[in-house]
Amino acid sequence: MKPLIGISCGTFHDQAWCPPSYGHRQTYVDAILQAGGAPLLIPPVADEATLRVLYESLDGILLSGGGDIAPSIYGDTPHEKLGLVDLARDEAELPLAGWAITESKPVLGICRGIQVINVALGGTLYQDIPSQIDGSLRHTLSYDREDWTYMAHDISIAPDSRFAQLMGVQTMAVNSLHHQSLRDIAPGLRAVAWAPDGIIEAVEGQGDSFIVGVQCHPEALQASADRRWKSLFHAFVENCATCRSSSALAA
Ligand code: MN
């Protein structure tokens, strides 16, 4: 049986007269399918009991990209450059991330997802890189060019990390579509990749379970622009499969 992987959804407002949609970009689903997983879109339901039912059916969680996390959650006041906040989404993703990490269910965080992992464990964020970090690169460059596969900057990867082992390299070019980034790293996490300006571009858990967060968008690169990212999705799905079989043994 393929492992069942929940992909957290955003809320999309297309036309004012239509109800909003829950969903995500097709590339997240494609990346999970191509790595051998069964993707399931998880809507941002606010009720924790319902969320728990959804969570228990999953073998792993992919926290997807999106808008900004409410700063009050990590003890900050809103910066004037804070972007769109979706409280319902925060209230769904933060418990999902917290449960998965506590209960050793694999978690992969992408863009907003790396930020959700950090905040769920007690870390903080820069609310706006250009106005809060002097000399920073333009981390919205792929977005500004309207090209998900535009390689905006390099990252350097800690050689002794699980992430370096997975990717097989210590330097690579990545796309970049974010204006926020990790500030204080939460206990239990370790920063393992950085942009040339020092912005944290990847984290991993310090324990045995699979916890990886990346600030770039590998789901948009793995199919053709940079196939090396397939290793990350394969490792995630394999860990989810192991998690599935060990929970089946326990039951
Ligand atoms: Mn970046």
Side-chain angles (χ1 to χ4, degrees), residues 139 153 174-178 195 199 201 215-216:
H139 285 268
H153 60 72
V174 295
N175 53 3
S176 194
L177 297 95
H178 61 109
I199 297 289
E201 291 277 340
Q215 189 60 73
C216 66

Side-chain angles (χ1 to χ4, degrees), residues 2 62 85 110 127 137-138 159 161 166 170 195 207 235 239 242:
K2 289 170 186 259
L62 195 172
V85 167
I110 291 179
Q127 291 186 45
L137 297 168
R138 258 172 74 197
S161 62
L166 271 178
Q170 288 173 30
N239 273 273
T242 307

Side-chain angles (χ1 to χ4, degrees), residues 5-28:
I5 295 169
I7 303 174
S8 61
C9 285
T11 310
F12 289 84
H13 302 268
D14 47 359
Q15 306 212 53
W17 61 275
C18 293
S21 312
Y22 292 141
H24 232 299
R25 303 201 185 277
Q26 196 181 325
T27 39
Y28 290 101

